[in-house]
Amino acid sequence: MGFIRKGVYSVTDMLSHNQGFESYHIFFDDLFLEHLLSDLSVPFASAELEQVFLRKSIPSILPSYLAQFAQIHQWKPQGKDRLMEIKAKEFFMMMLMEDQDQQLASFLHGLKQRQVRNLLQFMRSHFDKPLTIEDYASLTGRSISTFRREFKAKFGVAPR
């Protein structure tokens, strides 16, 4: 199982012929992360801001949890979004209970801390990605107006 920081692209070729593949993705925003760390009282662990991928072993209970998660995801009642949020918190709670070395806690705290990245290096590496100005601003740790101003100062043109 892997946890990937926002803005990181991942490609794999690890599948053999005729093997099945299942993938579950849980996307969350900064507000969800803030509530998660607060609600679950996740102890602060020194955050590694540059860590983009965290690999963890799969708890034995996870397959049955994911089967239930998939069933709820396909269900169509009102209020499902709130239930999915609760299920996502439940997932992280299970993972944090197994997080003896506090790698996950450290990774999650690292996501919370906004990192200002070198604009020139970042744009040289990611200029060809299908991202909006808002995405680029967020990924470089800047507000939209600060991103536009610094981009124009560095490159001599507006980001558009």
Side-chain angles (χ1 to χ4, degrees):
M1 173 179 352
F3 295 88
I4 303 172
R5 179 183 286 277
K6 178 180 178 180
V8 174
Y9 297 88
S10 174
V11 177
T12 184
D13 59 358
M14 296 176 60
L15 293 179
S16 299
H17 295 290
N18 300 324
Q19 280 189 331
F21 178 76
E22 239 180 325
S23 178
Y24 293 86
H25 302 265
I26 300 175
F27 297 96
F28 54 89
D29 59 17
D30 293 338
L31 187 58
F32 174 87
L33 179 62
E34 182 119 359
H35 288 164
L36 176 75
L37 295 173
S38 171
D39 293 350
L40 299 182
S41 301
V42 177
F44 181 78
S46 60
E48 295 181 38
L49 296 177
E50 290 297 322
Q51 187 176 10
V52 297
F53 182 80
L54 174 66
R55 185 182 199 129
K56 296 294 285 179
S57 60
I58 298 173
S60 60
I61 194 170
L62 193 62
S64 61
Y65 170 81
L66 290 176
Q68 183 187 42
F69 193 90
Q71 285 179 323
I72 290 171
H73 182 63
Q74 293 172 3
W75 194 30
K76 304 286 185 210
Q78 274 190 327
K80 179 181 136 184
D81 290 345
R82 180 71 178 123
L83 180 59
M84 292 302 288
E85 182 180 333
I86 291 167
K87 294 301 287 180
K89 281 186 180 179
E90 180 183 19
F91 165 78
F92 281 104
M93 183 175 216
M94 285 187 322
M95 293 305 300
L96 287 163
M97 290 171 74
E98 300 256 332
D99 190 36
Q100 303 303 322
D101 56 7
Q102 292 204 324
Q103 284 184 320
L104 180 57
S106 174
F107 185 80
L108 292 173
H109 279 289
L111 294 177
K112 185 176 173 189
Q113 296 179 12
R114 192 170 190 159
Q115 177 187 10
V116 177
R117 297 182 177 186
N118 181 299
L119 186 62
L120 192 58
Q121 287 177 336
F122 187 86
M123 292 309 298
R124 282 184 177 155
S125 298
H126 302 286
F127 72 92
D128 59 341
K129 306 296 187 289
L131 301 170
T132 65
I133 290 173
E134 291 79 11
D135 293 334
Y136 282 119
S138 176
L139 291 170
T140 59
R142 292 165 173 79
S143 68
I144 295 168
S145 58
T146 300
F147 174 80
R148 288 176 197 249
R149 187 173 48 256
E150 290 184 20
F151 187 98
K152 184 160 177 122
K154 291 260 189 235
F155 296 102
V157 294
R160 287 204 187 270

